[in-house]
């Protein structure tokens, strides 16, 4: 029997009824959560790790990432994940139908991190975000190719992704978005639409989104398409939230405008999920997912709330929460993270040259994936 006890921490479990935060030990047996309570009865030979002073949470679920190793954008989930407390990545359109097999065999099947994917409606995927957009040539935007691939890899593909913005679609306008919508409907999967510079316009995008679909890059600052305009959240956005559309952060290299985020938060419009959009070109702007979470602490959000939006909520929207992902439920996969809440002033930049500051931040201290410690920042484990 393989057993691990995380002892003395403050557990934050967004799924827990009533008391989401409490002092408890977390006992892991054979890769599953076996107990979350004070002083549980432990099997002989249990390895004990002192996590006192730390916040113990479900492993983070990053709803927007690019982890296709060897592809232009891809970062290695087993490098980025452990150091950031992230145990599940949702890749958002790095691969389309023509390359998904390579993504699967080269990365997903081999990774220690759990990886699921939104399949790019373009068969070539987000091949290079610095050159031509993958939707400029509509021949690549083949509904049949996408549907066949999503069906073949139904165990991994959780939705369809379309980067519906002027810098990606070129002269194709709204057509790629409409094709993505049709494929998602045909397969009964959620659609994720990325918001950037028009076209299409944000009202046109909102009109395509149904309950359970995801609008990613919700705090983008592109003037013509920002979701906060003339002192208020757009009507089409409020209506979309009302019918159950998910609003996701996806900070990335150009999609986090602190002014827009501040205004929307002040208007009571919180993001449903906080994701990083980590990729090879955004690492400098992001740092890691805990750094993105910390920016929301700086903007006034509560710690437990930020944790819920990076664990349980993205797991629910990725269809993984039923299996216990994003929770510390008894019997759930033992994906656990522990964070230090570091007090002290910190300066931040957004992706449009704006600056703001915070007074505390989250730092990943310990990461457990499927019951095994994959990161220990303190290197002070006790036998
Ligand atoms: Zn992205």
């Amino acid at each position: 029997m393989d057993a691990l006890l995380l002892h003395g921490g403050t557990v934050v479990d967004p799924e827990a009824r009533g008391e989401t935060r409490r002092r408890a030990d977390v006992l892991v047996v054979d890769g599953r959560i076996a107990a979350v309570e004070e002083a549980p009865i432990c099997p002989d030979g249990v390895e004990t790790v002192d996590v006192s002073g730390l916040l113990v949470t479900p492993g983070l679920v990053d709803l927007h990432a690019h982890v296709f190793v060897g592809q232009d954008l891809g970062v290695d989930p087993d490098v980025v994940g452990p150091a950031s407390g992230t145990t599940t990545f949702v890749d958002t359109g790095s691969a389309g139908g023509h390359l998904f097999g390579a993504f699967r065999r080269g990365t997903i099947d081999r990774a220690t991190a759990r990886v699921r994917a939104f399949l790019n409606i373009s068969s070539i995927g987000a091949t290079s975000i610095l050159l031509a957009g993958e939707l400029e040539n509509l021949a690549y935007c083949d509904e049949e190719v996408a549907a066949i691939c999503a069906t073949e890899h139904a165990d991994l593909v959780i939705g369809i992704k379309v980067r519906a913005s002027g810098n990606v679609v070129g002269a194709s306008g709204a057509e790629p978005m409409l094709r993505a919508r049709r494929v998602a409907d045909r397969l009964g999967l959620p659609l994720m639409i990325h918001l950037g510079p028009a076209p299409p316009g944000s009202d046109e995008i909102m009109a395509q989104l149904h309950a359970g679909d995801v609008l990613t890059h919700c705090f983008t600052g592109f003037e013509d398409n920002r979701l906060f305009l003339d002192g208020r959240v757009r009507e089409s956005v409020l209506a979309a939230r009302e019918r159950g559309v998910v609003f996701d952060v996806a900070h990335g290299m150009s999609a986090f405008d602190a002014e827009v985020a501040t205004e929307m938060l002040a208007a009571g419009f919180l993001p449903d999920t906080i994701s990083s959009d980590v990729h090879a070109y955004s690492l400098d702007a992001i740092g890691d997912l805990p750094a993105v979470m910390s920016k929301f602490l700086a903007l006034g959000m509560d710690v437990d709330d930020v944790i819920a939006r990076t664990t349980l909520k993205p797991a629910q929207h990725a269809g993984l929460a039923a299996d216990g992902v994003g929770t510390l439920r008894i019997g759930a996969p033992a994906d656990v993270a522990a964070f230090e809440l570091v007090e002290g002033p910190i300066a931040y930049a957004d992706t449009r040259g704006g600056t703001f500051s915070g007074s505390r931040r989250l730092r990943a201290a310990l990461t457990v994936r499927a019951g095994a410690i994959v990161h220990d920042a303190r290197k002070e484990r006790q036998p």
Side-chain angles (χ1 to χ4, degrees):
M1 188 184 298
D2 222 10
L4 175 68
L5 183 73
L6 305 181
H7 169 70
T10 299
V11 169
V12 180
D13 179 7
E15 193 186 49
R17 304 252 179 269
E19 247 186 331
T20 54
R21 176 185 280 240
R22 62 197 167 109
R23 285 294 295 272
D25 293 354
V26 176
L27 176 65
V28 169
V29 177
D30 291 337
R32 302 257 158 199
I33 304 287
V36 181
E37 59 193 54
E38 272 188 69
I41 296 163
C42 292
D44 290 341
V46 68
E47 179 187 3
T48 300
V49 180
D50 181 6
V51 290
S52 48
L54 301 179
L55 298 173
V56 180
T57 75
L60 302 183
V61 179
D62 196 341
L63 194 65
H64 187 138
H66 296 276
V67 294
F68 182 175
V69 176
Q71 189 255 10
D72 182 50
L73 292 176
V75 293
D76 189 338
D78 288 340
V79 173
V80 174
S84 66
T86 310
T87 49
T88 300
F89 289 93
V90 176
D91 184 277
T92 49
S94 302
H98 288 158
L99 283 174
F100 199 86
F103 180 27
R104 171 173 207 136
R105 279 185 277 282
T107 301
I108 303 178
D109 287 349
R110 298 178 183 196
T112 297
R114 179 186 297 99
V115 179
R116 296 293 183 273
F118 278 82
L119 180 72
N120 200 314
I121 186 61
S122 170
S123 63
I124 61 173
T127 296
S128 171
I129 58 165
L130 302 185
L131 302 173
E134 70 269 16
L135 298 169
E136 287 187 25
N137 184 339
L138 273 176
Y140 290 128
C141 193
D142 187 306
E143 294 175 47
E144 207 53 33
V145 169
I148 290 169
C149 174
T151 304
E152 185 184 340
H153 299 282
D155 55 331
L156 299 177
V157 173
I158 61 164
I160 302 296
K161 169 84 185 288
V162 60
R163 296 205 300 144
S165 59
N167 55 332
V168 182
V169 300
S172 302
E175 181 59 23
M177 177 170 76
L178 302 179
R179 293 188 187 185
R181 173 77 272 165
R182 281 198 294 268
V183 174
D185 286 345
R186 180 171 154 188
L187 299 167
L189 291 176
L191 175 63
M192 177 186 273
I193 304 184
H194 125 143
L195 178 70
S202 52
D203 289 345
E204 204 180 352
I205 288 173
M206 291 308 145
Q208 293 298 324
L209 293 167
H210 307 163
D213 292 334
V214 183
L215 186 286
T216 193
H217 303 310
C218 65
F219 296 135
T220 198
F222 292 105
E223 306 292 338
D224 50 358
N225 256 354
R226 54 171 65 183
L227 301 186
F228 190 90
L229 206 66
D230 301 329
R232 54 199 310 248
V233 179
R234 283 177 193 263
E235 278 305 322
S236 63
V237 173
L238 295 173
R241 163 153 286 180
E242 188 64 28
R243 64 178 179 268
V245 172
V246 178
F247 287 84
D248 174 56
V249 171
H251 183 299
M253 63 191 278
S254 59
F256 181 73
D257 185 313
E259 218 176 276
V260 172
T262 302
E263 286 165 333
M264 289 182 71
L265 262 55
F269 196 98
L270 271 57
D272 293 297
T273 54
I274 299 173
S275 64
S276 70
D277 191 16
V278 64
H279 58 71
Y281 302 107
S282 68
L283 276 170
D284 286 351
I286 297 168
D288 59 13
L289 184 53
V292 177
M293 296 161 78
S294 301
K295 288 185 175 180
F296 284 89
L297 298 182
L299 295 180
M301 277 179 70
D302 174 76
V303 176
D304 293 12
D305 207 5
V306 162
I307 289 169
R309 287 157 212 263
T310 44
T311 55
L312 179 63
K313 291 199 172 195
Q316 285 169 335
H317 296 306
L320 297 169
D323 296 329
V325 176
T327 80
L328 295 175
R329 196 185 300 161
I330 306 305
D335 298 347
V336 190
F339 296 94
E340 188 183 350
L341 189 59
V342 184
E343 300 285 344
I346 176 157
Y348 289 119
D350 69 6
T351 58
R352 287 170 58 86
T355 56
F356 58 110
S357 60
S359 60
R360 56 197 182 145
R361 67 195 163 95
L362 289 163
R363 187 159 64 194
L366 182 85
T367 310
V368 175
R369 163 70 181 124
I373 294 171
V374 290
H375 172 70
D376 185 348
R378 302 162 308 159
K379 301 281 181 213
E380 289 169 359
R381 287 158 52 187
Q382 296 164 356

